[in-house]
Amino acid sequence: LALDYQKAGLLDYAEKILDDLIAANAGSQTQRVAIGRLLLDVCVQERNWPRAIDGAKLLDIETAKHMPAGTKLVDHRGEIAQFYCEVAIEKTLDGGVNSVVESNAALDAALAANAHCVRANMLKREWFAARGEHENAIAAWRAIEDQDSAYLGLSAVAALQSYVALNREAEGVEVLRRMHQQYPALDLLD
């Protein structure tokens, strides 16, 4: 029934049924994991990121409880990190008094959930640069090198602008040259 409600776009009804099933601890282990996954999908559709984060964490715990020895655990760390990035974007768009602090905290939580979340450092770089915190912007951009060098070029121009803002253009160009030699890519070449 919850699946039918979800397909019909009646997400509140689907969520209520799934919450009730989880509260009742209904079904087998496999069914509970499927219920948790469906609830996670509903939360994502609703763009309820805090609830999606909690749901993904609980799904990881529930799945890990009954994993046979030697089975590779499928976790949701990557998804959780992306949900935290969405929270950070919402906080930034809200523009409240604490939006900068809350956005940074969400991006830190994204990196804590998944240290390889390039998106978190790309957002940090962008927002630091927008606030004139160019040293921090460069540090966030350089952190991408350790995460996945294939993404360095996506914000290389913006990173170079931070070097220029700090009157360190020559250093920025040299860093880009070194990176292009080490990680040849058209984005870095451009």
Side-chain angles (χ1 to χ4, degrees):
L1 184 58
L3 187 56
D4 288 341
Y5 279 139
Q6 181 201 25
K7 288 178 183 178
L10 301 169
L11 301 177
D12 290 342
Y13 291 106
E15 186 175 0
K16 172 72 172 112
I17 290 170
L18 295 169
D19 282 340
D20 290 346
L21 288 171
I22 288 172
N25 203 19
S28 68
Q29 165 61 23
T30 304
Q31 290 169 329
R32 285 193 301 275
V33 169
I35 291 166
R37 182 69 226 181
L38 183 56
L39 181 58
L40 178 59
D41 291 344
V42 168
C43 291
V44 169
Q45 282 182 275
E46 291 177 323
R47 303 182 60 80
N48 185 343
W49 306 120
R51 183 94 195 268
I53 291 165
D54 292 342
K57 288 177 181 178
L58 286 172
L59 192 55
D60 281 348
I61 292 167
E62 190 66 32
T63 303
K65 278 184 196 175
H66 303 283
M67 292 292 292
T71 304
K72 184 179 180 205
L73 179 64
V74 177
D75 63 40
H76 296 85
R77 289 179 296 181
E79 287 176 281
I80 292 168
Q82 296 303 321
F83 299 155
Y84 276 119
C85 288
E86 291 293 336
V87 169
I89 290 168
E90 285 182 354
K91 296 294 182 186
T92 298
L93 292 175
D94 287 347
V97 176
N98 296 320
S99 66
V100 171
V101 172
E102 291 171 344
S103 295
N104 286 338
L107 293 177
D108 289 341
L111 290 167
N114 179 9
H116 298 288
C117 182
V118 173
R119 183 181 182 201
N121 276 317
M122 291 183 81
L123 289 170
K124 279 185 169 210
R125 191 229 36 89
E126 180 182 339
W127 295 339
F128 282 138
R131 292 192 307 264
E133 299 177 35
H134 295 290
E135 286 289 347
N136 290 334
I138 291 169
W141 178 68
R142 297 290 302 266
I144 295 170
E145 182 176 9
D146 294 331
Q147 293 173 313
D148 190 340
S149 61
Y151 291 95
L152 284 169
L154 291 178
S155 55
V157 170
L160 184 58
Q161 290 170 348
S162 286
Y163 279 104
V164 170
L166 295 169
N167 293 319
R168 295 171 27 202
E169 183 175 356
E171 178 187 347
V173 170
E174 185 55 38
V175 168
L176 287 175
R177 280 191 182 130
R178 180 191 59 79
M179 286 184 172
H180 179 63
Q181 287 174 348
Q182 193 169 357
Y183 315 109
L186 289 176
D187 289 338
L188 283 173
L189 179 64
D190 287 347

